[in-house]
Amino acid sequence: MTKDNRTHEGWTRLPGRPRPYLLRSGEGEHSHMVDMLATVLVSGDETDGQFGLQLVEGPRGDVIPGHLHPGAHHTIWVLDGAVRVWADDLNGLKVATTLERDDFLFIPAGTLHTFRIESRTARMAGINTGGFERYVHALGVPTGSASLPVEPVAPRPEDYRAGGAEFGIEFHPEWDPTAAER
């Protein structure tokens, strides 16, 4: 790695500890997962575990697997496009809404949720409890490209299980929040 945090693949590595740093447009730690690009801008390593921030962008697609994070709060802030989100706090509060540019949704720890990109493409920012942002890197493939993957990068079922165990994510493939909308 060179002094400016770039690897030979073009991947900009974050400092890994609290210290000032600058990322220019398109920089950050990129990973491809399924048909999306995730870019970590700040991780729990840089914030002493307080929070992380990642950008996720992708094309119109399918609902991602329903899941919850027992120990991590999560947000979806739509920067561009439209994203359909379903959330169920398992205590009677259910949310089914389409978020558009500049809309923001807070998802407390322990809330079952999923999303689907509705527009041709969408770009979202996710602020979360520190550490969770590395989950996409664990399931995806790190890349030096700030572009969407050319071919989908599909995690294997065992990758989901291992990533879930490492990052405290519970998957609920039996949950189909779209059933009531059909």
Side-chain angles (χ1 to χ4, degrees):
M1 186 176 340
T2 64
K3 192 173 185 177
D4 69 354
N5 293 341
R6 295 182 194 283
T7 66
H8 66 281
E9 298 90 14
W11 204 58
T12 306
R13 183 172 301 281
L14 303 180
R17 61 186 168 81
R19 62 171 278 215
Y21 65 96
L22 168 69
L23 296 175
R24 298 286 183 192
S25 179
E27 294 182 334
E29 293 181 359
H30 304 296
S31 288
H32 287 151
M33 187 173 100
V34 188
D35 57 355
M36 295 181 276
L37 170 70
T39 303
V40 176
L41 300 178
V42 65
S43 76
D45 295 334
E46 289 78 37
T47 66
D48 287 331
Q50 293 180 26
F51 68 95
L53 170 62
Q54 67 178 340
L55 300 176
V56 176
E57 59 186 291
R60 177 181 292 122
D62 296 326
V63 174
I64 67 163
H67 60 284
L68 59 85
H69 323 283
H73 300 298
H74 181 53
T75 66
I76 298 175
W77 179 12
V78 176
L79 305 174
D80 192 35
V83 180
R84 183 79 175 157
V85 180
W86 297 267
D88 185 340
D89 77 350
L90 307 178
N91 289 311
L93 177 64
K94 296 180 192 265
V95 174
T97 190
T98 299
L99 303 174
E100 295 182 352
R101 185 182 179 141
D102 296 330
D103 289 345
F104 177 89
L105 179 67
F106 174 69
I107 303 168
T111 302
L112 186 58
H113 62 283
T114 187
F115 72 86
R116 176 181 64 214
I117 294 175
E118 296 286 294
S119 52
R120 188 177 68 75
T121 61
R123 189 167 183 243
M124 305 167 267
I127 303 163
N128 47 264
T129 303
F132 171 75
E133 68 285 339
R134 297 282 187 208
Y135 169 69
V136 175
H137 287 332
L139 284 188
V141 175
T143 178
S145 172
S147 300
L148 296 175
V150 175
E151 294 291 325
V153 178
R156 301 168 303 173
E158 56 269 26
D159 296 333
Y160 280 109
R161 282 191 295 279
E166 181 179 352
F167 293 92
I169 298 169
E170 296 176 13
F171 289 98
H172 292 268
E174 75 287 352
W175 183 55
D176 181 7
T178 67
E181 297 178 354
R182 290 187 213 140

